Amino acid sequence: MREYSVEMRGIVKKFGSVTASDQVDFSANAGEIHALLGENGAGKSTVMSMLSGVYRADEGEILIHGAAARIRSPKDAALLGVGMVFQNFRLVQSLTAAENIVLGEKSSFWRGSKWIKNKHMEIEALAERFGLKFPVDRPIWQLSVGEQQRVEIVKTLYRGADIIILDEPTSVLTPGEAEQLFETLQVMKREGKTVIMTTHKMKEVLASSDRISVMRKGKMIATLATADTNELELARLMVGREVTITRQEREETAGETLLVVKNLDVFADHGRKALNSLSLNVSKGEIVGVAGVAGNGQKELAEVLTGLRSWKNGEIHFDGALVKTASVRGAIDAGISHVPENRMKSGLAGRLGSVDNLLFKSYRSGQHSRMGFLKAAKNRAWSQELVERFNVKTPELDTPVQQMSGGNQQKLLFAREISHAPKLMVAVHPTQGLDVGATAGVHELLMELRSTGSGVLLISEDLDELLQLSDRILVMYGGKIIGEATHEHADRQTIGLLMAGIDNREESAV
């Protein structure tokens, strides 16, 4: 009988009255790429967290290379050769990318800045090899979410784990970079490493994995050979019902121009220019997608439009009026809603319940307060109505939102932003880390906004999402718009090349 590199038997994990993992069996072979799928809240992250030492199982056993393992901490897991790239990053914000990667390295102690600098070339070479470049000498807090995820991937590879768990590893990569990563995974496979990949991208799973395990509601539903299944079957197993995965058809609804950005210059936190004479426009009833690799100015563009960041030069006109200064309150009052790229960092307050989070932008209004006092009963009823309308699953309205699944957190965030009937929605990576069911729900909400005449600026690194939803796709590179395509004429290969800064359109015309 073949010995598994990882074997988990009868794994049970409970959080209070909630059973997150119910008698789960899971195994992966050395020299195998094994995909683990499931809706948010299905229990897959909990199972992988027990394998990586973040949680301890209440029942069951874990075997590593055939031997019983006591994994009580991430350190125990690391000593056994298990490394995990988490969806919620484990990075020290004040340290540089390079310092985070070498932090805790075996047999190392703090040796000063000279030792750190000597590591830069090694880390840069590793990042280059895997197509995951990022500024190694920049503090984490100055990096975008996508760049931070790349640091996490390189950190795991740098530490030489032979059992590597990757959570959504391609969510911030261009198609070309994703293909490069899959080639790397194949190299790991040939060298006998075990790769466990959790992702919601069916096409990538089918293209890169050997076997696929599907979880639903804390139970392991099925384990299939990748060659024997397809995208629709996997979606059905994940959500327990048939799911349609098609490009959104649409009627022409675009109206008069809503947003005009002219020659905008914006500087990032690190002092370099993030937006360089950028111009774009969004009409009412239109979804404009913005494609680009993380770090090309998308973050700063979203922050400028939502009042979080000022600009150096250029003009912004919204709904016929000139925007003179950056103001969050001004943006809210003007009718601009914002779904940020990191929902738990800048969108929701994790320790507060649904009512408080839903009231963040409207608590001052006469509908929700009187003479400085909140209308508690009325606000609770209003929150309950929104939770039901947007199908947010939470045990109680007072349950901290950090205890919700990622999909339910995102639906709650959308409930708050849409409840204000926005004229413009700025949505940044709105489905990052969400399962197929939750993703479909978010897409329906965006299309509903479009149909009611609202404009949507959809910033995403998921080309499939942009191709499915956008009326027009703009490509950002180096802080500029370097390409544009309509819904009917968008070409995946051309957009992918533009995202990487390669424009072959002129060459093709010659």
Side-chain angles (χ1 to χ4, degrees):
M1 182 177 177
R2 184 176 182 181
E3 181 182 284
Y4 294 115
S5 60
V6 174
E7 188 171 7
M8 307 177 78
R9 302 172 179 170
I11 299 296
V12 175
K13 182 63 180 178
K14 296 182 178 181
F15 298 97
S17 60
V18 177
T19 301
S21 175
D22 188 1
Q23 295 292 332
V24 169
D25 293 333
F26 174 82
S27 61
N29 296 309
E32 176 185 39
I33 300 173
H34 196 130
L36 181 59
L37 301 180
E39 289 189 282
N40 292 99
K44 62 186 186 301
S45 294
T46 300
V47 172
M48 291 298 101
S49 291
M50 285 183 280
L51 179 58
S52 62
V54 175
Y55 298 142
R56 298 186 191 183
D58 297 326
E59 299 178 25
E61 61 178 340
I62 300 175
L63 288 78
I64 303 295
H65 300 301
R70 294 185 64 192
I71 302 179
R72 296 163 296 180
S73 68
K75 182 178 180 180
D76 289 342
L79 292 173
L80 291 167
V82 179
M84 181 171 180
V85 176
F86 292 90
Q87 185 175 341
N88 297 316
F89 309 134
R90 270 59 172 175
L91 298 171
V92 180
Q93 296 292 308
S94 60
L95 298 183
T96 67
E99 289 168 343
N100 269 276
I101 290 170
V102 302
L103 189 64
E105 186 177 7
K106 186 177 180 181
S107 76
S108 72
F109 54 90
W110 193 254
R111 305 181 185 182
S113 60
K114 184 176 180 180
W115 182 76
I116 290 290
K117 289 179 180 178
N118 289 336
K119 288 288 184 178
H120 282 193
M121 289 183 62
E122 180 182 353
I123 292 169
E124 287 176 338
L126 185 63
E128 179 74 25
R129 174 186 169 192
F130 291 108
L132 299 168
K133 295 174 65 175
F134 52 85
V136 299
D137 57 349
R138 193 174 297 168
I140 293 298
W141 68 270
Q142 291 186 358
L143 303 183
S144 69
V145 170
E147 289 170 326
Q148 290 181 34
Q149 187 180 49
R150 295 177 210 172
V151 174
E152 285 280 27
I153 294 173
V154 172
K155 181 174 69 174
T156 301
L157 296 170
Y158 175 83
R159 296 181 181 187
D162 63 1
I163 299 170
I164 302 170
I165 307 166
L166 300 171
D167 188 8
E168 298 288 343
T170 65
S171 61
V172 294
L173 305 180
T174 65
E177 289 172 329
E179 291 175 5
Q180 165 107 31
L181 178 60
F182 295 147
E183 292 175 4
T184 300
L185 298 185
Q186 292 298 328
V187 173
M188 294 180 183
K189 172 183 172 180
R190 290 194 294 270
E191 293 179 354
K193 292 184 181 292
T194 301
V195 179
I196 303 171
M197 179 172 62
T198 69
T199 181
H200 305 298
K201 297 184 178 181
M202 304 295 178
K203 292 178 182 177
E204 293 181 355
V205 166
L206 292 169
S208 62
S209 67
D210 299 298
R211 287 193 299 154
I212 302 168
S213 292
V214 182
M215 290 187 67
R216 187 171 74 240
K217 296 181 180 179
K219 296 180 180 291
M220 186 64 72
I221 301 300
T223 296
L224 310 166
T226 303
D228 297 334
T229 189
N230 58 56
E231 191 172 350
L232 290 176
E233 181 183 17
L234 293 174
R236 179 180 57 79
L237 288 170
M238 285 175 61
V239 303
R241 57 181 171 81
E242 296 296 331
V243 178
T244 302
I245 306 173
T246 59
R247 190 172 184 179
Q248 293 279 0
E249 296 301 327
R250 79 249 346 268
E251 297 178 356
E252 293 297 329
T253 62
E256 61 187 54
T257 302
L258 176 67
L259 170 72
V260 177
V261 176
K262 294 182 179 179
N263 302 321
L264 208 63
D265 288 337
V266 175
F267 288 85
D269 294 328
H270 49 70
R272 300 174 188 171
K273 187 177 284 189
L275 299 182
N276 187 4
S277 193
L278 180 139
S279 298
L280 61 81
N281 62 78
V282 180
S283 297
K284 296 178 180 179
E286 180 185 37
I287 297 178
V288 175
V290 177
V293 183
N296 280 284
Q298 304 96 311
K299 172 177 177 285
E300 289 77 12
L301 173 61
E303 289 175 347
V304 166
L305 296 179
T306 55
L308 291 166
R309 185 182 294 273
S310 60
W311 59 96
K312 183 70 173 177
N313 300 305
E315 294 182 355
I316 299 174
H317 296 261
F318 181 71
D319 201 19
L322 176 65
V323 180
K324 297 180 180 180
T325 59
S327 166
V328 173
R329 175 52 56 185
I332 294 171
D333 292 342
I336 299 176
S337 286
H338 183 206
V339 175
E341 61 178 325
N342 190 325
R343 55 183 169 264
M344 290 309 298
K345 180 179 179 181
S346 47
L348 299 169
R351 295 184 181 181
L352 300 181
S354 298
V355 178
D356 291 330
N357 275 281
L358 288 171
L359 283 171
F360 276 161
K361 291 189 174 181
S362 58
Y363 66 91
R364 298 181 183 183
S365 69
Q367 178 186 357
H368 299 294
S369 64
R370 183 172 182 271
M371 299 179 67
F373 292 93
L374 291 173
K375 300 176 180 178
K378 188 173 183 179
N379 291 339
R380 196 170 185 86
W382 170 77
S383 299
Q384 183 64 45
E385 181 182 343
L386 283 178
V387 164
E388 292 174 1
R389 174 186 166 193
F390 287 86
N391 194 29
V392 180
K393 297 178 182 178
T394 179
E396 301 287 344
L397 287 176
D398 297 324
T399 300
V401 299
Q402 65 188 7
Q403 295 181 17
M404 295 181 186
S405 68
N408 285 305
Q409 290 170 355
Q410 196 74 334
K411 284 189 285 187
L412 185 73
L413 183 54
F414 266 93
R416 184 185 72 208
E417 298 303 310
I418 292 177
S419 69
H420 302 302
K423 296 177 183 178
L424 174 69
M425 168 73 77
V426 179
V428 187
H429 312 315
T431 60
Q432 183 172 333
L434 302 188
D435 57 74
V436 64
T439 294
V442 168
H443 288 177
E444 289 174 4
L445 291 174
L446 292 173
M447 291 299 291
E448 182 180 340
L449 276 173
R450 176 188 182 275
S451 68
T452 60
S454 297
V456 177
L457 188 69
L458 173 61
I459 298 174
S460 177
E461 288 150 3
D462 186 337
L463 259 185
D464 289 330
E465 178 171 74
L466 292 170
L467 290 167
Q468 182 178 351
L469 297 176
S470 304
D471 295 291
R472 288 186 293 127
I473 299 177
L474 311 178
V475 183
M476 284 188 69
Y477 184 81
K480 296 182 178 181
I481 304 297
I482 65 168
E484 178 177 342
T486 62
H487 178 80
E488 294 78 12
H489 299 103
D491 176 75
R492 181 184 182 88
Q493 182 178 3
T494 300
I495 292 174
L497 290 171
L498 286 169
M499 289 171 68
I502 302 170
D503 189 349
N504 67 345
R505 292 172 296 177
E506 294 182 2
E507 296 175 5
S508 299
V510 175

